[in-house]
Amino acid sequence: MAALHFDHETHTFWRDGQRVLSVTQVLERCRLTSPYWTPEARNRGTRVHKALFVLQTLSDREAREGLQPTDVPFYEAGRRALDTFGIEVLGAEELVDGGAYAGWLDLRCRLRGRDLPMVIDFKTGKAAPWTPLQLAAYAAPQPTPHDRAFIELLPSGAPKLTVCREHRGDLRHFNACVAVAQLQLSLEIPDAEA
């Protein structure tokens, strides 16, 4: 399979001149994402995730360098999550190539008391109902089995960890969304109408 290319300006993935939908774009085309999700929320999440990864490898001072003032409460909640759940970071903001889709996972880690590594999505607010599908898409291409979880980072409270249950059929449902989104692309249905 040819290498995947990510265009930072348009936030799109490409392979051999063909567009590859992101996990978020797949979910958007199937009308599963929240209308309240904004690019600023996505960017804040990215900054907080990267800062938490830097914290694991460098120092708190260096981790805070890329944060905006509005990010700090979420970063602090993330620091509490790292301590509370005994998180050992293996990678952050890593590219996931699912073949028919691609994306950036927030965190690969080990959690105290769990055998398998985990794919975790940090939510700087309440998690959406489609979050388990998103995590199934990120976990499936990993070279070894990974559990899935999300952590809600609420600046005013304790972080909340939710482990996704395997019996839900999340990957099967996500793959159905991929098929629908690819059909929409082949029919040249624009994103706004999808």
Side-chain angles (χ1 to χ4, degrees):
M1 185 181 324
L4 195 64
H5 168 71
F6 180 68
D7 184 326
H8 290 275
E9 268 188 46
T10 61
H11 201 73
T12 53
F13 294 94
W14 299 88
R15 178 180 288 118
D16 286 337
Q18 297 292 314
R19 182 175 171 196
V20 177
L21 290 174
S22 73
V23 171
T24 302
Q25 290 164 341
V26 167
L27 295 169
E28 286 172 342
R29 281 183 164 270
C30 289
R31 303 242 193 280
L32 294 177
T33 58
S34 168
Y36 304 107
W37 179 86
T38 64
E40 174 50 34
R42 178 188 69 213
N43 293 337
R44 178 184 59 222
T46 298
R47 290 188 303 267
V48 170
H49 308 150
K50 286 182 178 178
L52 291 170
F53 182 67
V54 169
L55 175 65
Q56 290 288 295
T57 56
L58 298 173
S59 70
D60 180 64
R61 182 185 55 74
E62 291 163 308
R64 291 175 181 270
E65 286 177 4
L67 296 176
Q68 295 181 6
T70 55
D71 300 338
V72 173
F74 298 99
Y75 168 74
E76 292 296 335
R79 285 185 59 190
R80 287 192 300 275
L82 292 173
D83 292 340
T84 301
F85 305 120
I87 294 174
E88 173 194 351
V89 176
L90 303 173
E93 289 296 321
E94 289 183 336
L95 176 64
V96 172
D97 185 348
Y101 64 88
W104 298 98
L105 66 79
D106 288 353
L107 191 67
R108 270 187 331 99
C109 65
R110 292 203 176 273
L111 253 58
R112 180 177 47 240
R114 297 201 62 99
D115 294 331
L116 291 177
M118 297 200 83
V119 171
I120 289 185
D121 198 69
F122 283 114
K123 298 297 182 187
T124 52
K126 184 98 173 106
W130 49 265
T131 300
L133 278 68
Q134 174 191 21
L135 286 162
Y138 294 150
Q142 298 301 317
T144 60
H146 278 59
D147 281 339
R148 305 170 291 132
F150 56 89
I151 299 176
E152 294 168 322
L153 302 177
L154 306 174
S156 58
K160 180 183 175 190
L161 172 73
T162 303
V163 176
C164 300
R165 304 290 172 225
E166 290 305 317
H167 68 277
R168 292 175 33 124
D170 296 327
L171 184 59
R172 182 172 35 90
H173 294 139
F174 180 78
N175 285 333
C177 290
V178 170
V180 168
Q182 287 178 325
L183 175 62
Q184 292 170 340
L185 278 180
S186 72
L187 296 173
E188 299 180 0
I189 297 172
D191 290 348
E193 296 177 27

